[in-house]
Amino acid sequence: MASKLKPVDVVVVGVGLSGSILAKELAEAGLQVVGLERGRWRDTDPDFAMPYAHDELRYVKRHELMQDLSRETITFRNNLNETALPMRNLGSFRPGEGVGGAAVHWGGLTWRFLPWDFETRSRTLARYGKEHWPAECTSQDWGVTYDELEPHFDRFEHLYGISGKAGNLKGKIIPGGNPYEGPRSREYPNPPLKTAYAGALFKEAADKLGYKPFPTPSAALSQPYTNEYGATINGCVYCGYCQFFGCEMGAKASPQTAVLPNLMKQSRFELRTHANVVKVNLDSAKKRAVSVTYIDSRGREFEQPADLVLLTSYVFNNVRLMLLSGIGKPYDAVANTGVVGRNYAYQTPSSVTLFFEDKVFNQFMAAGGLGMTIDDFNGDNFDHTGLGFIGGGFFQAATSGSRPIEVRPVPRGTPRWGGEWKRAVAKYFNRSFGIAIQGACQSYRGNYLDLDPTYRDAYGLPLLRMTFDRRENEHKMSTYITNKAAEIAKAIGPSKMNVTPRTEKYTIVPYQSTHNTGGAAMGADPATSAVNKYLQSWDVPNVFVVGASAFPQNGGYNPTGTVGALTFQALAAIRTRYLKRPGPLA
Amino acid sequence: MDEPGGRRRFLKSVGALGAASMPAAAVAQHGGHTPARGEKYMFLAPAEVAFLDAAAARLIPADELGPGAKEAGVSYFIDQQLFGGFGVMAKMYRQGPHAEGTPQQGYQSPLTPQEVYRTAIAEINAGCAKQYGRSFDKLAAAQQDEVLRALDEGKFPLDGVPARFFFNMLLDNTIEGFFADPIYGGNRNKVGWKLVGFPGVAAVYTHLVEKHGVPYDALPVSIADILEGKAALDEHGHPKHVLLVRKD
């Protein structure tokens, strides 16, 4: 039997990127806030201290900072005709676990989705007509526009101290930045990172071809920076142990470096770690959340009453908690009805790897988000007439850390092992680099999340089931844009290149991207979205579901910058409107 | 890397890693053939070690470039991994029911890596005995390659686990053991890192990242080196790398 605890104003489920900000702001606004985090406390010191911080096996292959699947995983199948089986080992994506969530081990690329991304459906139909829309595609407008989100993007970038170069300041195109970005109200808080050799060569070739290269915006900071919460984030030393690692320098913006120093001093905030929320309890009418139930590290069950429940965990757990709790109507892929679990999407990454005989790149001198990008083939930045697909992705000559267990490219045709393989690895480890292409992924009927009928977690609760495959639109898009990237690569002049568009059946095995999106999509219509434009549940208005779970489809960018903006979008609505008059905001 | 033009004749460094700079070629040779010190196997039986030594020597052979996976101590690395959390799927989901599934669904064996190695090695040795009259480790190199290729292509008949599933695990762990920090028992003398020119535990590279195209020939530093006090450190605990003299 659950012990019933003293009621609080707000309970935050998952103390990661979104949860830490919302908890800090609401505690400061005078509310009693409890943060429930299923993992452990983690901080720069001692958790990411040298020399253990630089251990590729531990962090990349043994998943030190990532979800413990022995307790909970998901099940996966490519389509409705298959039987989903559990993801027994981490592969395609690497969700985090513990305080800070995946924002501890993230790569730091911090984008604003394009204005087009927020209006994918209406702008596509307006420009190209209905016949251009992909079959079974359920991508939609977000119910919020870029312009509405701009102040929130701005606030998040300044909180996290992002290093970058503006390309569009209040409508004026600024040379050296991204001319395709939506207008921004001010410059990035910190200048871009340095330019590595790979980026310099890419920039030169892209310039020559008439594209618009610019430095990738990064949460690895180019210089020390103190943010509005009084937290100081250090300057990056380019050690190259960034994505999948915690930063020993405190130079990567994260909840630990940007928010927790302030949050943990809030007298109205209490953090409870090893507190695994298993259910949001609703009133008898199923219109109001009254409490959450969680289980602690001793197996004790607690009921924490709260007036406001914020679900701020990773995509999968946000959706799973809604399904386990009966918040919103579950999506039925056969009938195409219901909303919770609908519009699950992912990413369509591809790459071009360049090999040289006479150039060395020292790609181990690196930082998360260190690179040169072009956005000429992202979103609707190029004419899609006659191409047979929508969307695109950015290209980046990335210098994000080459460590030899995972990053040791060899030219196509090289055997997987033996003397020839060894010679190729020895030769090309330092004589190669990649152009990474972050392809978008649309949403489709039949790609969704629901509860698995067979497999259970450590508490005996159903696992989340993922049914997913990329479609023809993604394969065509990936082929087209990867070939464009190959043209740039060719202009750089490598002796060999591997051109690898993403065209095969989706597999959960090799790492691709921790950019899972959707399942609690936002929108203007409760028939096709689980939350409104303020991230508020349509059905249970004192529950807000914040994170990439709200993306109705995924853009050709890393999602974190947009998650940050949505967090502040939800916060503004809660603070200025909801707290004054609790109830539906839309 | 302070010199313009990028050819460093000599470099300074504050007494790290036995102080003196060594010619790169000498370091490469110095690499492999040290006997294993204090390596006490925890999981693998001698016949299994013999199998892994033989397989490692074919997967990443010793050659003119330097030591291979066997010399790097990969068998011992795998033993230590199998005895630890990895070997018993500590962070993996183990509940049934089990089904083979599609290739896209990944690891579905009910066996732990410990059991996978034990089962597969016994079956491969039995298969080799049947086909060639002796165990895998006693075969000629060309025959060993034939067996490994058959495993890689899923053609070698295994009953307990799919052949390719085992081969992928073996290859993955071999590469891990060749390139992981020596603290785990492989990559002995940092031979994997020396082969590719990876400096291991990073120094501060802020002033180097824009020296485009300039080779960085540092003597690699491991976590073990730092724990043993063999590397000079900066205030944040980053090692100060000793750069090697280039012959050219």
Side-chain angles (χ1 to χ4, degrees):
Chain A
M1 211 34 219
S3 314
K4 199 158 180 172
L5 302 168
K6 205 174 133 217
V8 294
D9 299 315
V10 184
V11 66
V12 173
V13 181
V15 184
L17 183 128
S18 297
S20 58
I21 293 171
L22 291 167
K24 186 267 172 194
E25 293 281 340
L26 295 176
E28 200 169 65
L31 301 176
Q32 203 66 41
V33 182
V34 163
L36 300 175
E37 167 54 50
R38 70 177 179 182
R40 66 181 181 93
W41 172 255
R42 305 183 295 183
D43 209 350
T44 304
D45 182 23
D47 297 283
F48 319 139
M50 293 295 287
Y52 294 101
H54 289 193
D55 182 344
E56 183 182 15
L57 186 77
R58 178 191 290 218
Y59 290 99
V60 179
K61 297 301 295 288
R62 301 291 178 261
H63 309 130
E64 175 83 6
L65 300 174
M66 292 137 199
Q67 189 175 331
D68 180 352
L69 302 185
S70 72
R71 291 201 279 263
E72 184 194 320
T73 184
I74 60 151
T75 68
F76 162 72
R77 57 181 179 172
N78 278 117
N79 58 63
L80 281 95
N81 300 321
E82 293 179 355
T83 303
L85 294 176
M87 176 177 75
R88 297 188 180 278
N89 196 11
L90 284 177
S92 169
F93 41 83
R94 296 170 178 164
E97 185 166 284
V99 171
V104 167
H105 73 255
W106 70 313
L109 288 83
T110 311
W111 295 101
R112 298 177 171 203
F113 273 22
L114 293 162
W116 180 84
D117 286 318
F118 298 101
E119 298 166 90
T120 296
R121 185 173 167 84
S122 56
R123 288 203 191 193
T124 298
L125 296 185
R127 184 170 177 185
Y128 303 105
K130 259 188 176 157
E131 58 284 355
H132 194 79
W133 192 251
E136 296 201 311
C137 180
T138 55
S139 294
Q140 60 199 33
D141 295 0
W142 294 44
V144 69
T145 62
Y146 171 83
D147 289 341
E148 289 173 87
L149 288 177
E150 200 286 329
H152 306 310
F153 276 118
D154 179 75
R155 179 109 188 262
F156 178 69
E157 287 169 355
H158 280 71
L159 181 68
Y160 267 44
I162 304 306
S163 304
K165 174 77 194 134
N168 182 340
L169 270 180
K170 297 175 180 168
K172 190 180 169 215
I173 300 302
I174 308 294
N178 178 10
Y180 300 101
E181 68 179 0
R184 54 175 67 238
S185 47
R186 46 179 173 160
E187 183 50 274
Y188 281 95
N190 284 301
L193 291 166
K194 292 171 184 285
T195 304
Y197 193 24
L201 293 180
F202 178 83
K203 181 181 187 312
E204 192 186 336
D207 274 332
K208 213 175 344 175
L209 291 169
Y211 300 132
K212 308 284 183 230
F214 60 93
T216 310
S218 171
L221 299 206
S222 55
Q223 58 189 21
Y225 174 77
T226 300
N227 69 12
E228 61 164 299
Y229 292 174
T232 297
I233 307 165
N234 285 323
C236 175
V237 300
Y238 300 86
C239 79
Y241 291 83
C242 198
Q243 189 185 17
F244 311 129
F245 297 82
C247 178
E248 75 274 11
M249 291 295 296
K252 175 164 66 173
S254 67
Q256 274 73 1
T257 54
V259 180
L260 293 178
N262 185 309
L263 173 62
M264 297 312 289
K265 283 188 206 140
Q266 296 290 333
S267 58
R268 293 182 208 85
F269 174 71
E270 184 194 342
L271 172 67
R272 297 181 199 148
T273 54
H274 299 290
N276 202 332
V277 176
V278 292
K279 195 175 184 188
V280 180
N281 304 301
L282 308 181
D283 68 2
S284 54
K286 305 232 173 261
K287 286 285 171 206
R288 182 179 161 74
V290 294
S291 63
V292 301
T293 298
Y294 70 90
I295 300 171
D296 79 354
S297 57
R298 292 170 62 180
R300 294 176 298 196
E301 203 171 304
F302 296 94
E303 186 183 344
Q304 176 62 66
D307 291 331
L308 182 58
V309 174
L310 307 179
L311 301 184
T312 54
S313 58
Y314 195 65
V315 171
F316 298 129
N317 241 31
N318 278 356
V319 175
R320 182 165 178 256
L321 275 174
M322 292 180 85
L323 293 168
L324 288 173
S325 310
I327 299 171
K329 192 176 172 197
Y331 179 61
D332 178 332
V334 178
N336 200 27
T337 58
V339 291
V340 181
R342 187 179 186 272
N343 280 33
Y344 170 75
Y346 190 44
Q347 201 88 67
T348 310
S350 60
S351 64
V352 178
T353 308
L354 298 78
F355 300 91
F356 296 82
E357 305 305 306
D358 55 349
K359 289 184 171 67
V360 298
F361 294 95
N362 301 336
Q363 285 281 86
F364 45 82
M365 298 177 181
L370 173 58
M372 272 289 164
T373 288
I374 66 160
D375 221 11
D376 297 78
F377 295 98
N378 201 354
D380 202 31
N381 297 344
F382 57 110
D383 185 1
H384 287 67
T385 305
L387 296 180
F389 66 85
I390 64 171
F394 78 88
F395 307 171
Q396 185 197 208
T399 301
S400 56
S402 290
R403 301 164 301 263
I405 298 178
E406 192 160 75
V407 185
R408 40 176 167 73
V410 291
R412 188 154 290 145
T414 307
R416 290 213 297 158
W417 49 275
E420 198 181 331
W421 174 84
K422 185 186 176 191
R423 281 188 290 278
V425 169
K427 180 167 184 187
Y428 291 115
F429 176 76
N430 203 20
R431 293 186 183 86
S432 60
F433 71 88
I435 299 174
I437 299 145
Q438 194 77 283
C441 182
Q442 303 307 319
S443 292
Y444 298 91
R445 190 172 169 170
N447 283 349
Y448 68 106
L449 305 171
D450 68 350
L451 293 177
D452 190 90
T454 306
Y455 293 94
R456 309 253 152 183
D457 72 3
Y459 305 109
L461 299 168
L463 296 181
L464 194 71
R465 174 170 67 177
M466 173 195 295
T467 306
F468 175 75
D469 206 350
R470 300 186 185 93
R471 302 291 175 90
E472 192 190 355
N473 183 79
E474 281 58 54
H475 296 160
K476 278 186 177 171
M477 181 266 305
S478 187
T479 301
Y480 181 82
I481 68 176
T482 307
N483 286 333
K484 290 290 179 190
E487 289 171 13
I488 303 173
K490 209 171 162 194
I492 297 171
S495 63
K496 302 182 181 71
M497 19 181 227
N498 293 348
V499 181
T500 316
R502 185 75 60 175
T503 53
E504 77 287 9
K505 199 173 171 184
Y506 172 68
T507 159
I508 203 150
V509 183
Y511 184 75
Q512 289 153 64
S513 158
T514 310
H515 303 163
N516 314 84
T517 61
M522 62 195 292
D525 180 358
T528 54
S529 56
V531 298
N532 63 28
K533 68 189 277 193
Y534 308 106
L535 293 298
Q536 179 185 39
S537 163
W538 287 109
D539 299 271
V540 184
N542 68 332
V543 173
F544 286 71
V545 188
V546 185
S549 53
F551 292 15
Q553 60 273 346
N554 203 4
Y557 285 134
N558 309 55
T560 304
T562 299
V563 171
L566 293 182
T567 301
F568 281 107
Q569 160 86 352
L571 174 69
I574 292 168
R575 282 193 67 161
T576 60
R577 295 182 53 206
Y578 180 88
L579 292 177
K580 285 176 189 146
R581 207 173 154 210
L585 297 173
Chain B
M1 314 265 305
D2 299 322
E3 243 177 79
R7 294 295 189 214
R8 294 174 312 282
R9 297 282 140 207
F10 177 74
L11 10 190
K12 56 179 191 186
S13 105
V14 200
L17 291 173
S21 296
M22 290 169 84
V27 170
Q29 283 194 355
H30 194 68
H33 308 285
T34 328
R37 306 135 304 165
E39 293 178 352
K40 295 178 181 64
Y41 281 79
M42 301 294 288
F43 175 74
L44 295 168
E48 293 165 335
V49 175
F51 172 91
L52 288 180
D53 276 348
R58 300 313 305 157
L59 294 174
I60 309 179
D63 57 14
E64 73 284 357
L65 295 175
K70 180 185 167 187
E71 296 76 20
V74 159
S75 303
Y76 180 65
F77 167 85
I78 291 176
D79 175 80
Q80 296 294 292
Q81 290 297 306
L82 291 178
F83 190 71
F86 169 79
V88 294
M89 296 173 75
K91 286 187 82 172
M92 291 172 68
Y93 185 80
R94 289 199 64 195
Q95 294 180 43
H98 287 85
E100 287 230 305
T102 65
Q104 287 75 20
Q105 289 173 312
Y107 196 124
Q108 293 300 333
S109 174
L111 304 187
T112 63
Q114 278 191 355
E115 296 165 322
V116 168
Y117 273 88
R118 189 135 282 167
T119 303
I121 292 173
E123 285 194 40
I124 293 165
N125 274 335
C128 290
K130 211 163 125 190
Q131 198 176 338
Y132 303 103
R134 58 189 98 162
S135 60
F136 178 83
D137 58 294
K138 303 279 186 341
L139 300 182
Q143 291 170 321
Q144 289 173 337
D145 284 354
E146 214 169 277
V147 172
L148 290 170
R149 228 174 348 259
L151 288 164
D152 187 3
E153 291 163 5
K155 291 177 184 158
F156 193 100
L158 289 189
D159 187 48
V161 289
R164 192 138 212 252
F165 173 73
F166 170 68
F167 183 82
N168 285 340
M169 188 183 283
L170 172 66
L171 180 60
D172 199 35
N173 292 154
T174 299
I175 290 170
E176 286 174 355
F178 193 63
F179 288 126
D181 194 282
I183 200 169
Y184 294 101
N187 193 9
R188 201 182 286 157
N189 297 323
K190 298 167 276 190
V191 293
W193 292 350
K194 288 171 187 167
L195 175 75
V196 299
F198 180 66
V201 178
V204 166
Y205 297 136
T206 313
H207 306 294
L208 299 173
V209 72
E210 290 191 323
K211 307 259 183 194
H212 294 167
V214 181
Y216 185 72
D217 297 319
L219 193 58
V221 176
S222 69
I223 294 169
D225 290 332
I226 293 175
L227 296 178
E228 291 166 12
K230 290 183 185 163
L233 304 176
D234 72 12
E235 61 193 298
H236 295 289
H238 296 105
K240 296 175 181 177
H241 287 160
V242 177
L243 298 184
L244 302 169
V245 176
R246 292 179 59 84
K247 289 206 297 186
D248 47 357

